[in-house]
Amino acid sequence: MLSPNKIPNLPIITPENSPFGVTVFVKRLDLVHPLVSGNKFFKLKYNLQHARKKGHDTLLTFGGAYSNHIYATSAATKSDNFKAIGIIRGEATTELNPTLSFAKKNGMLLSYMDRKQYRQKHTTEVINMLHKEFGDFYLIPEGGTNQLAIKGAMEILTEEDQEMDYICSSIGTGGTISGLIGSALSHQKVLGFSSLKGRFIIQEVEQLLRKYHIRPSCGWEIFTNYHFGGYAKHHPDLIDFIKNFNKKFQIPLDPIYTGKLFYGAMDLLKNNYFPEGSKVLLIHSGGLQGVEGFNLRHHENI
Ligand SMILES: *Cc1c(COP(=O)(O)O)cnc(C)c1O
């Protein structure tokens, strides 16, 4: 069974050391578990429990070749003695990248799906085909977002977070922020920073909240202007920010999710978005495994 490390919120900006009169804390979920890092720990937890209870011995899920979800699922299934199948978007490469080579080392069976079929992966047709090929399995969707993932994400905020006024999170599929919105208190506001280009994500989150009957007590807002060109795109300003941030605070960030969140939150801070005296919590959702692959792909040295 996965068990989490205890990680106290780390204050990085205080009214004493900054001109904004605001305290900024970081919740280092990247340290919650050595291999099942960040929000993925919370998103997988109840899915694994449920799969076990239903008598499955194999999990199947989907992801891109650098996916944090594939990485975390391979480690979680290994530690909980499940067999795992990873359906990877696109063509097989002769040499495995660091993410897939870790997944394979954990015993995950990697199977590649062309992009056209991959877009249809949620259809009964494709799922039936996968059952024909692989037999019985418990399915976790791409990115891991489902009802049990959101239930797990509701456990990210704990008692010590009740004093926070703002809770800031990165967004991919919206599962994590849905859990945060479901568990934040009425005096709190949840701010989401989308990694993807476009405003569609606001409706996706509204849809997730409706579908899973989450009635927020808190306020929430999603920013769609910190995507730096789109998902997994390379942008020099973001890279510079990540490097400088790490130099200043000794906190590593990734260029896909947490870098954009921290950049966005620091930008809001500079623009006096947060009233004086507020306490702001930034959720470090992990994703650091992807940095090595990103560096190789883009000849960077984050
Ligand atoms: C998967 C992931 C996210 C996105 O989470 P969603 O629940 O899909 O919105 C954010 N940050 C990191 C580091 C991730 O790996």
Side-chain angles (χ1 to χ4, degrees), residues 6 80 189:
K6 180 115 190 61
D80 277 6
K189 187 166 179 185

Side-chain angles (χ1 to χ4, degrees), residues 6-18:
K6 180 115 190 61
I7 25 173
N9 293 332
L10 178 71
I12 58 165
I13 292 170
T14 63
E16 291 73 47
N17 71 12
S18 87

